[in-house]
Amino acid sequence: MQTQKVIDYIVEWLKDYAEKSGVKGYVIGVSGGVDSGVVSTLAAMTGLKTLLIEMPIRQKEDQVNRAWEHMDDLKSKFPNVEAMSVNLTPAFEELYKTFDVHDDEFPNEKLAFANTRSRLRMLTLYYYGQINGLLVCGTGNKVEDFGIGFYTKYGDGGVDISPIADLYKTEVYALAKALNLVKNIQEAIPTDGLWDAERTDEMQIGATYPELEKIQKEWGTKTEADYSGRDLEVFKIFSRMNKAAQHKINPIPVCDISEEWRA
């Protein structure tokens, strides 16, 4: 990949979109991971107002520390960058008390609460975006957004613009290196940070991003019969998750009503 060309193109694309939209810049949720690290840096490079928000919800200290190490680094390099923390734990705890049900009756409750965390962060980004005249900038990559749907609908998937959604995870890491992000961000193990217990992306998915990328690049040109061993295992994981994620990947279905019936 021609890394510098990609960087320059995304920066100009972000700048052009904001100017045409009549907004001051972008707001980005910073998690301490490589995706938000790269996106926030690219946004900062536009010279437009860039508001970085760290939004802990029962967050682990290492994730918070990584996020702030990155945000402080960007603030020291770009005068257009502002950073803040919005502690969402109290708000989440109130929702938890209100929504809580018996796990044995509703086995999907833990997943529902994980998605609730993401949706609470989306609300926060749109609030601060609106009062500051900023667009919400997404941080999803190609595997997550268009491969296995590894994001929360109307959570981290609820954004105005997605600058790295056509980049594979390995390509995002290449950008992180070229942009000279702080070492802890470049080496961060991918995790969505939505669970009380440590659950990395690989633990939840059952495959690494390079393994998933191999299947996605061949998706539609090969079938299950073309794979064996570990590749077959990953193909089955990708196929199952891709099928389940179609409601996220495709536009919302609209029931078209015949004009004849309107007469």
Side-chain angles (χ1 to χ4, degrees), residues 160-215:
D160 293 316
I161 189 168
S162 287
I164 63 168
D166 196 35
L167 292 176
Y168 289 104
K169 189 79 168 187
T170 52
E171 293 175 326
V172 177
Y173 274 107
L175 259 61
K177 182 177 181 180
L179 291 167
N180 195 28
L181 268 58
V182 295
K183 186 177 180 181
N184 283 334
I185 295 292
Q186 291 192 46
E187 298 178 352
I189 298 173
T191 178
D192 57 18
L194 299 178
W195 306 84
D196 290 336
E198 184 65 43
R199 298 183 64 175
T200 66
D201 290 0
E202 184 177 349
M203 291 167 62
Q204 294 185 63
I205 298 167
T208 66
Y209 280 103
E211 288 176 326
L212 293 165
E213 288 175 21
K214 180 181 186 299
I215 301 301

Side-chain angles (χ1 to χ4, degrees), residues 3 13 16 23 26 82 87 93 124 145 159 202:
T3 309
W13 182 78
D16 183 63
V23 298
Y26 295 100
E82 299 177 18
N87 184 9
E93 297 297 354
T124 305
D145 285 6
V159 300
E202 184 177 349

Side-chain angles (χ1 to χ4, degrees), residues 110-138:
K110 286 184 173 60
L111 176 58
F113 272 130
N115 286 327
T116 298
R117 295 189 194 201
S118 184
R119 291 172 179 136
L120 186 55
R121 288 178 176 137
M122 180 274 290
L123 290 173
T124 305
L125 290 173
Y126 271 96
Y127 171 80
Y128 283 99
Q130 189 163 17
I131 65 173
N132 286 284
L134 307 172
L135 292 177
V136 176
C137 197

Side-chain angles (χ1 to χ4, degrees), residues 96 98-110 113:
Y96 188 90
T98 302
F99 294 162
D100 193 25
V101 294
H102 295 294
D103 291 359
D104 53 346
E105 295 181 39
F106 299 93
N108 283 330
E109 186 193 29
K110 286 184 173 60
F113 272 130

Side-chain angles (χ1 to χ4, degrees), residues 1-245:
M1 182 175 67
Q2 299 179 60
T3 309
Q4 192 57 51
K5 283 191 175 182
V6 172
I7 290 171
D8 293 341
Y9 181 80
I10 295 176
V11 170
E12 286 304 310
W13 182 78
L14 283 169
K15 185 175 181 180
D16 183 63
Y17 191 89
E19 291 175 347
K20 287 181 178 178
S21 300
V23 298
K24 299 176 182 177
Y26 295 100
V27 57
I28 302 106
V30 176
S31 64
V34 68
D35 291 331
S36 65
V38 166
V39 169
S40 55
T41 304
L42 294 171
M45 292 171 67
T46 65
L48 302 173
K49 181 172 181 177
T50 303
L51 177 59
L52 313 180
I53 307 182
E54 186 256 337
M55 299 169 283
I57 303 176
R58 297 181 179 177
Q59 222 64 36
K60 297 187 179 303
E61 187 177 0
D62 65 318
Q63 295 172 6
V64 174
N65 291 342
R66 277 202 312 272
W68 271 105
E69 183 182 3
H70 170 68
M71 292 193 297
D72 285 338
D73 182 61
L74 278 191
K75 284 199 301 178
S76 70
K77 295 176 179 177
F78 299 94
N80 55 308
V81 170
E82 299 177 18
M84 63 186 294
S85 179
V86 180
N87 184 9
L88 296 178
T89 299
F92 177 75
E93 297 297 354
E94 287 299 316
L95 287 173
Y96 188 90
K97 288 188 291 184
T98 302
F99 294 162
D100 193 25
V101 294
H102 295 294
D103 291 359
D104 53 346
E105 295 181 39
F106 299 93
N108 283 330
E109 186 193 29
K110 286 184 173 60
L111 176 58
F113 272 130
N115 286 327
T116 298
R117 295 189 194 201
S118 184
R119 291 172 179 136
L120 186 55
R121 288 178 176 137
M122 180 274 290
L123 290 173
T124 305
L125 290 173
Y126 271 96
Y127 171 80
Y128 283 99
Q130 189 163 17
I131 65 173
N132 286 284
L134 307 172
L135 292 177
V136 176
C137 197
T139 62
N141 60 66
K142 190 168 188 174
V143 177
E144 294 171 340
D145 285 6
F146 301 110
I148 58 174
F150 193 64
Y151 63 90
T152 299
K153 195 173 185 178
Y154 305 121
D156 50 330
V159 300
D160 293 316
I161 189 168
S162 287
I164 63 168
D166 196 35
L167 292 176
Y168 289 104
K169 189 79 168 187
T170 52
E171 293 175 326
V172 177
Y173 274 107
L175 259 61
K177 182 177 181 180
L179 291 167
N180 195 28
L181 268 58
V182 295
K183 186 177 180 181
N184 283 334
I185 295 292
Q186 291 192 46
E187 298 178 352
I189 298 173
T191 178
D192 57 18
L194 299 178
W195 306 84
D196 290 336
E198 184 65 43
R199 298 183 64 175
T200 66
D201 290 0
E202 184 177 349
M203 291 167 62
Q204 294 185 63
I205 298 167
T208 66
Y209 280 103
E211 288 176 326
L212 293 165
E213 288 175 21
K214 180 181 186 299
I215 301 301
Q216 187 169 357
K217 290 174 181 178
E218 298 170 346
W219 190 248
T221 65
K222 292 187 177 182
T223 66
E224 184 174 327
D226 296 312
Y227 295 99
S228 62
R230 178 58 180 166
D231 285 346
L232 177 58
E233 293 176 2
V234 178
F235 176 87
K236 289 180 178 179
I237 292 170
F238 187 96
S239 180
R240 171 179 53 80
M241 295 186 72
N242 179 269
K243 183 178 180 180

